[in-house]
Amino acid sequence: MIFGIIKPYPSPLISGRGIDIDFAFLAGCLALLGLGLVMITSASSEVAAVQSGNPLYHMIRHLVYVAIGLVACGVTMMVPIATWQRMGFMMLIGAFGLLVLVLVPGIGREVNGSMRWIGFSFFNVQPSEIAKVFVVIYLAGYLVRRQTEVRESWMGFFKPFIVLLPMAGLLLMEPDFGATVVMMGAAAAMLFLGGVGLFRFSLMVVLAVVAVFILVQAQPYRMARLITFTDPWSDQFGSGYQLTQALIAFGRGEWLGVGLGNSVQKQFYLPEAHTDFVFSVLAEELGVVGSLCTVALFVFVTIRALYIGLWAEKAKQFFAAYMAFGLAFLWIGQFLINIGVNVGLLPTKGLTLPFLSYGGSSLVICCACVGLLLRIEWESRTHLGSEEHEFKESDFAEETSHGR
């Protein structure tokens, strides 16, 4: 079925100019993927050796996820953006279906008290990672279809929340508070860029802050996390243990780090060292310099993604533009929350660091998003981003430069 969709259309990988993609953006993403593979190998070696007898166990699995992710990136690059626009409502229904399935006993898999995964024989799927992207695609279509209504009326502003709030409720039932915040934050940013007035946007921000406050108060463990992160040393062997160990890792790293593979904190001091707290191990081994270089890579990739959205908007491909903005804000939200948690600026949340953390669903979805963004950039640059355009080989006969 996939090949039936992509076969009639040229793509950044198949054109008269050969491979025609945004190499700067791709290089940044591949650099993060490579760095992630190195850090996963280092951070997981001790745990893997004890749990499986093979210190490279998690590295091998992560390498498989990288391979699957690169295939997913290639496939999404070959699907016209107009196809994603047509399938927006179906994806929304699929997202709801996945989030309901993960809560069904016997289907959803519980890990550390949360039902966030659908387990298969050799791997797990995290529906929230898929749902966030599907929501972005659906909302981008809504902003195009109802552009005037969104900008001028209260009803156009509130309609998306008829969809977003039930989905946020399903995420909170897992519970996955971090994914809820990221999804709602990206949706809010898309609405603002879609033309929602400043007064209505400010009201939405106030309501969101009130909702977060109520949600924190509703669950004792959330309140405990909120109190603990302000002074983790007050209970360093209890609720503050994970954060204090992360801060020790940062302290040990100093300017240049202790050297790749020489982390002490990964040796069963820091829980989840290869998943949520991989950045702490990176800071310990590569120091402030390595940490800042990693942050600079993330900044480059996310800013480039925002520029891809801007270029699509200038080409009057508004669905592609909104989708690019939404995907960029998903990355920005996860990046800021994960780094904030690692350095003690935010309460502990179970959010992966895009491209770097261990986790198949997160990595594959990140790579698929890279493919979408590369496709958006190509369509906006070649002005061949309409499915109604009849593609011919002559459209690709002449070489053109990116000009960007």
Side-chain angles (χ1 to χ4, degrees):
M1 181 178 177
I2 292 175
F3 291 103
I5 293 174
I6 64 179
K7 185 178 178 181
Y9 308 103
S11 76
L13 298 177
I14 304 174
S15 73
R17 294 188 293 269
I19 298 178
D20 184 23
I21 59 179
D22 184 348
F23 285 103
F25 176 68
L26 180 61
C29 295
L30 290 177
L32 286 171
L33 282 175
L35 180 61
L37 180 61
V38 171
M39 293 314 305
I40 293 302
T41 304
S42 175
S44 67
S45 58
E46 302 294 334
V47 174
V50 171
Q51 292 180 348
S52 68
N54 179 7
L56 299 180
Y57 173 78
H58 291 299
M59 184 274 283
I60 294 170
R61 288 178 64 90
H62 191 76
L63 194 57
V64 171
Y65 296 145
V66 169
I68 296 173
L70 292 177
V71 172
C73 177
V75 170
T76 52
M77 258 195 286
M78 298 180 74
V79 179
I81 297 302
T83 301
W84 299 105
Q85 186 173 4
R86 284 202 316 271
M87 295 171 61
F89 183 74
M90 295 173 57
M91 289 182 171
L92 180 69
I93 298 301
F96 271 108
L98 287 171
L99 292 179
V100 170
L101 277 177
V102 77
L103 298 173
V104 177
I107 298 179
R109 181 185 175 191
E110 184 174 348
V111 178
N112 295 330
S114 299
M115 295 278 285
R116 300 180 186 176
W117 294 267
I118 296 176
F120 294 92
S121 56
F122 297 105
F123 62 96
N124 298 317
V125 173
Q126 191 170 359
S128 61
E129 295 291 337
I130 302 172
K132 287 183 294 187
V133 176
F134 283 6
V135 165
V136 164
I137 294 174
Y138 172 78
L139 189 56
Y142 173 82
L143 290 173
V144 171
R145 293 192 306 272
R146 306 287 184 178
Q147 189 174 62
T148 302
E149 191 177 355
V150 168
R151 294 180 176 181
E152 298 178 359
S153 73
W154 283 92
M155 186 56 67
F157 169 67
F158 281 118
K159 277 181 180 178
F161 292 97
I162 298 174
V163 171
L164 292 171
L165 292 178
M167 187 162 290
L170 289 172
L171 287 171
L172 290 171
M173 290 173 66
E174 295 184 4
D176 196 343
F177 187 66
T180 306
V181 172
V182 170
M183 183 190 74
M184 296 300 285
M190 290 175 69
L191 286 169
F192 181 71
L193 293 174
V196 170
L198 185 60
F199 175 74
R200 283 176 287 164
F201 182 76
S202 301
L203 177 62
M204 177 174 61
V205 171
V206 172
L207 292 175
V209 171
V210 172
V212 168
F213 178 78
I214 293 172
L215 289 171
V216 168
Q217 294 281 348
Q219 292 291 339
Y221 80 91
R222 291 186 189 132
M223 195 62 186
R225 285 181 176 180
L226 186 63
I227 294 172
T228 300
F229 98 96
T230 59
D231 185 16
W233 304 101
S234 62
D235 189 16
Q236 61 178 310
F237 297 110
S239 56
Y241 179 77
Q242 200 166 27
L243 180 53
T244 55
Q245 297 303 314
L247 293 176
I248 290 171
F250 276 92
R252 293 191 75 253
E254 298 184 352
W255 286 103
L256 298 177
V258 297
L260 189 62
N262 294 327
S263 168
V264 171
Q265 293 305 104
K266 70 181 182 182
Q267 298 177 14
F268 306 99
Y269 292 102
L270 178 61
E272 310 296 337
H274 60 297
T275 55
D276 301 342
F277 283 85
V278 68
F279 190 76
S280 297
V281 177
L282 184 149
E284 184 182 2
E285 296 188 350
L286 304 182
V288 172
V289 174
S291 301
L292 291 179
C293 289
T294 303
V295 171
L297 265 178
F298 272 111
V299 170
F300 170 76
V301 166
T302 52
I303 289 179
R304 191 75 176 183
L306 290 173
Y307 266 104
I308 288 172
L310 181 61
W311 295 330
E313 190 174 31
K314 288 182 177 178
K316 300 189 183 303
Q317 297 175 7
F318 296 108
F319 170 78
Y322 293 137
M323 185 163 69
F325 291 141
L327 296 177
F329 280 112
L330 285 180
W331 286 352
I332 291 169
Q334 286 194 225
F335 166 70
L336 291 177
I337 291 176
N338 185 279
I339 299 295
V341 167
N342 274 257
V343 301
L345 293 176
L346 293 173
T348 303
K349 288 279 145 242
L351 273 179
T352 57
L353 186 60
F355 298 103
L356 261 69
S357 292
Y358 178 80
S361 296
S362 175
L363 189 65
V364 171
I365 293 299
C366 273
C367 292
C369 291
V370 171
L372 287 172
L373 288 164
L374 289 171
R375 177 80 194 196
I376 290 170
E377 189 277 335
W378 177 77
E379 290 195 1
S380 66
R381 177 164 44 84
T382 58
H383 298 284
L384 296 172
S386 172
E387 198 176 32
E388 287 75 25
H389 184 96
E390 184 179 353
F391 292 110
K392 299 177 182 178
E393 191 62 30
S394 59
D395 292 329
F396 304 92
E398 297 181 1
E399 296 284 344
T400 61
S401 60
H402 281 230
R404 292 173 180 170

